[in-house]
Amino acid sequence: NEGNLMSAIHKVGFTEFDMNKTWIENGLDELDRVEVIMTLEFDLGIQFTDVVAEQFTIGDQKPFTFMEWNRDRKINQLGTIVSY
């Protein structure tokens, strides 16, 4: 959720972060975004798939767009299950 994401972003060293701006606009380069992923994985005790992790490497994407992508992916999976 947004709270876990913001916590990871702050741990990486970005105390000023606007969820309405892209990763790049917030000053995070690709390595910063990888560090956010690794921090989230550690904090939550999970491991993201490459597909999910790659969403964080898209610099011109807003963080909330990732959350919407994840929601839409789940909806599409349910639609696939229902259509059978």
Side-chain angles (χ1 to χ4, degrees):
N1 69 27
E2 188 175 320
N4 292 330
L5 177 61
M6 289 303 292
S7 175
I9 290 168
H10 289 171
K11 286 180 181 178
V12 171
F14 291 86
T15 55
E16 298 292 323
F17 190 88
D18 184 344
M19 293 292 285
N20 294 310
K21 292 182 179 181
T22 67
W23 293 102
I24 291 173
E25 291 171 333
N26 277 295
L28 281 82
D29 63 20
E30 187 171 354
L31 291 177
D32 294 325
R33 295 188 300 272
V34 169
E35 192 172 353
V36 169
I37 287 271
M38 293 171 62
T39 302
L40 273 173
E41 289 178 328
F42 180 80
D43 288 351
L44 300 176
I46 61 173
Q47 186 173 11
F48 292 110
T49 65
D50 289 343
V51 171
V52 173
E54 287 172 1
Q55 296 304 305
F56 280 90
T57 63
I58 302 172
D60 62 350
Q61 181 173 327
K62 296 178 183 177
F64 75 86
T65 304
F66 166 75
M67 289 180 250
E68 290 178 348
W69 171 85
N70 195 36
R71 182 202 67 215
D72 291 346
R73 182 183 61 83
K74 289 179 183 179
I75 290 170
N76 287 336
Q77 286 175 338
L78 287 173
T80 301
I81 293 168
V82 172
S83 66
Y84 285 107

